[in-house]
Amino acid sequence: MEKLKFLTPELAEETRAKFGTPTYLYDEQTLKAQAAKALAFPNAFGLTVRYAMKASPNAAILRIFDRCGLQLDASSGWECERAILAGINPEHLSLSTQEFPARAQLERLQARGVQFNLCSLSQIETFGAHFPGQEVGVRFNPGLGSGGTSKTNVGGPASSFGIWHELVPQVRELAAKHRLRVVRVHTHIGSGSDPAVWQRAADLSFNMVRQFPDATVLNLGGGYKVGRMAEEKTTDLGEIGAPILQKFKTLSEETGRALRLEIEPGTFLLANSCSLLTTVQDVADTGEGGYHFLKLDAGMTEILRPSLYAAQHPVILLPRKPTGAAKPYVVVGHCCESGDLLTPSPADSGELAPRELPEAGIGDLCVIEGAGAYCSAMSAKNYNSFPEAAEVLLRESGELVLIRRRQTLEQIVQNEVPLR
Ligand SMILES: Cc1ncc(COP(=O)(O)O)c(C=O)c1O
């Protein structure tokens, strides 16, 4: 059976008593330990670790990583502005975005020193027309991708992310037209990537660097696999980094260029640094040949990954009156949506896949583990008008600190304009 990652049952109960459920509880100690591991990524000529803030953009998390010496990568102009609001030095931000900022925002971010990874030919054209002669990064699709699921694979011909690797001549031409200096080559091939495919993509990225003589930085993106479930593997950064280190040295021997390495993890830093605390709010049973259901007071409004990707998250029940018995439970969310499942079939077949869990009842605490990355950040927010959950940080001192209040109904409707 799955176990709690950093919590104890007593601390889970204390958190519920103080803040209610559903509540995300982040662990400062795990966040810092993961940051330290990322900062130890093997490198030959310097390393910048950028936290992919899309994984969880709360200001408290950004500040913790900032103090650890991490910089940030943002996925939209809005994320950049959010990080700046949180007190992050804009020069420590890079932007790699599918939707290029509108002119006013673009000018604001450029003036503040945000670094741009241009992700399409039109982005190069727009940026170059506004800011000729600048230094830029370019994100390429190296021709192959790999993700934990097809929905998190962002490389190869089926992906719209980055500039297709065969378009290097067009990139060079556009850069020359606007006197842009391509100082950073960027690739990111997916989340939960197969380490072997990641290595091949890194090779292809080195080929790309050879075609941009001004490049001083190679950003190899994120995507490092993290085991949330006991049987899932976590990528060893030291292991995948070692062959890369050699490639940096070889390139330097061949060309005299000492390239700086950037990596951009989100999941690796966050996944197991947060637990989602929920309460069993109802039970249902569909009789002989049917299923036992546990209904939580959370669901796709807090953790969409199971519904979206059939992602597996540990579910830990903490019955107040343990019976010692276990039952095969299907754990479901609170939304009026049959797809709102916390325990989907790993094969994403749509069939129900009950899990053997301790017998539980209404009011029992249920902890969903591995809820740090792409959970609070990527929820079906306010569906069924459920308020956004609270976020709490467990400080290294043991103190529980609120880092985002639970939303109120007034906040949910505040932008609606009443009809006269
Ligand atoms: C450009 C970019 N960099 C880094 C990441 C982080 O990926 P992961 O959370 O899998 O490490 C993402 C996530 O999709 C991304 O789009």
Side-chain angles (χ1 to χ4, degrees):
M1 260 186 206
E2 296 289 338
K3 296 197 185 92
L4 292 170
K5 305 263 186 214
F6 60 86
L7 271 171
T8 59
E10 296 72 30
L11 191 55
E13 209 41 271
E14 182 188 337
T15 309
R16 172 163 76 167
K18 281 194 175 141
F19 302 99
T21 57
T23 288
Y24 301 92
L25 180 59
Y26 295 87
D27 182 40
E28 186 175 20
Q29 205 176 345
T30 313
L31 290 166
K32 288 186 172 175
Q34 291 305 103
K37 284 187 208 161
L39 286 164
F41 199 98
N43 65 90
F45 306 110
L47 170 74
T48 302
V49 178
R50 296 186 178 279
Y51 165 49
M53 65 176 283
K54 65 199 287 195
S56 190
N58 186 300
I61 292 165
L62 303 187
R63 291 208 192 108
I64 288 173
F65 286 148
D66 183 53
R67 285 185 204 132
C68 292
L70 269 53
Q71 300 196 16
L72 299 182
D73 183 66
S75 293
S76 71
W78 303 108
E79 269 195 356
C80 283
E81 303 226 55
R82 186 170 182 171
I84 295 168
L85 270 181
I88 303 298
N89 177 350
E91 292 176 7
H92 290 182
L93 278 169
S94 65
L95 172 63
S96 318
T97 179
Q98 282 285 79
E99 180 183 326
F100 212 49
R103 184 168 182 155
Q105 192 175 57
L106 181 64
E107 283 174 0
R108 247 184 345 259
L109 298 178
Q110 155 73 11
R112 305 289 305 267
V114 170
Q115 300 166 50
F116 288 78
N117 289 322
L118 304 174
C119 297
S120 69
L121 294 177
S122 84
Q123 288 190 10
I124 303 181
E125 180 62 53
T126 306
F127 188 90
H130 281 74
F131 312 110
Q134 296 289 316
E135 295 188 343
V136 292
V138 174
R139 177 175 179 178
F140 285 100
N141 176 339
L144 81 173
S146 170
T149 79
S150 61
K151 290 174 188 149
T152 60
N153 180 340
V154 293
S159 166
S160 69
F161 294 82
I163 300 176
W164 186 241
H165 60 110
E166 290 167 328
L167 298 176
V168 166
Q170 284 89 326
V171 172
R172 287 168 57 105
E173 212 171 283
L174 271 177
K177 175 178 162 193
H178 298 293
R179 293 181 291 107
L180 297 174
R181 290 182 61 230
V182 178
V183 295
R184 190 182 318 102
V185 166
H186 177 287
T187 55
H188 169 75
I189 61 163
S191 267
S193 306
D194 175 337
V197 181
W198 189 87
Q199 293 285 351
R200 294 209 321 269
D203 276 341
L204 297 169
S205 308
F206 274 96
N207 291 344
M208 223 84 78
V209 163
R210 289 171 203 275
Q211 301 176 67
F212 291 93
D214 289 334
T216 53
V217 177
L218 174 58
N219 184 319
L220 291 173
Y224 315 106
K225 244 188 220 296
V226 169
R228 294 177 176 84
M229 302 292 284
E231 71 279 6
E232 289 174 349
K233 267 197 149 174
T234 295
T235 299
D236 179 334
L237 296 190
E239 212 171 280
I240 63 158
I244 301 292
L245 180 125
Q246 195 45 50
K247 290 187 176 85
F248 277 85
K249 288 187 177 158
T250 308
L251 186 89
S252 156
E253 282 155 19
E254 279 171 24
T255 65
R257 292 159 72 189
L259 280 190
R260 189 175 182 84
L261 169 65
E262 286 189 357
I263 56 167
E264 216 163 76
T267 305
F268 185 84
L269 296 166
L270 254 293
N272 287 328
S273 309
C274 176
S275 311
L276 174 65
L277 272 55
T278 75
T279 300
V280 176
Q281 49 92 11
D282 212 343
V283 292
D285 201 298
T286 49
E288 182 85 25
Y291 297 93
H292 304 293
F293 293 92
L294 288 179
K295 302 184 185 183
L296 305 184
D297 64 353
M300 59 201 286
T301 42
E302 286 71 29
I303 177 162
L304 186 60
R305 298 182 76 256
S307 311
L308 194 62
Y309 307 143
Q312 303 294 303
H313 285 258
V315 173
I316 290 121
L317 281 162
L318 300 172
R320 285 168 301 177
K321 293 183 193 139
T323 64
K327 265 188 181 175
Y329 283 118
V330 175
V331 184
V332 302
H334 55 179
C335 291
C336 293
E337 201 66 47
S338 59
D340 189 9
L341 281 175
L342 279 300
T343 52
S345 144
D348 205 3
S349 60
E351 280 167 30
L352 296 182
R355 273 196 212 168
E356 203 67 10
L357 295 169
E359 192 170 30
I362 296 172
D364 286 344
L365 196 48
C366 178
V367 178
I368 312 295
E369 283 292 9
Y374 309 106
C375 291
S376 171
M378 191 182 74
S379 67
K381 183 173 166 178
N382 293 156
Y383 186 47
N384 291 180
S385 297
F386 286 114
E388 194 172 41
E391 290 184 309
V392 172
L393 178 69
L394 173 61
R395 302 301 312 250
E396 284 176 303
S397 60
E399 193 190 353
L400 291 167
V401 198
L402 187 64
I403 57 170
R404 185 179 74 189
R405 288 182 199 94
R406 192 174 303 286
Q407 202 181 23
T408 62
L409 180 63
E410 290 67 33
Q411 288 169 334
I412 296 177
V413 300
Q414 69 186 357
N415 287 335
E416 289 181 7
V417 181
L419 205 57
R420 286 173 180 240

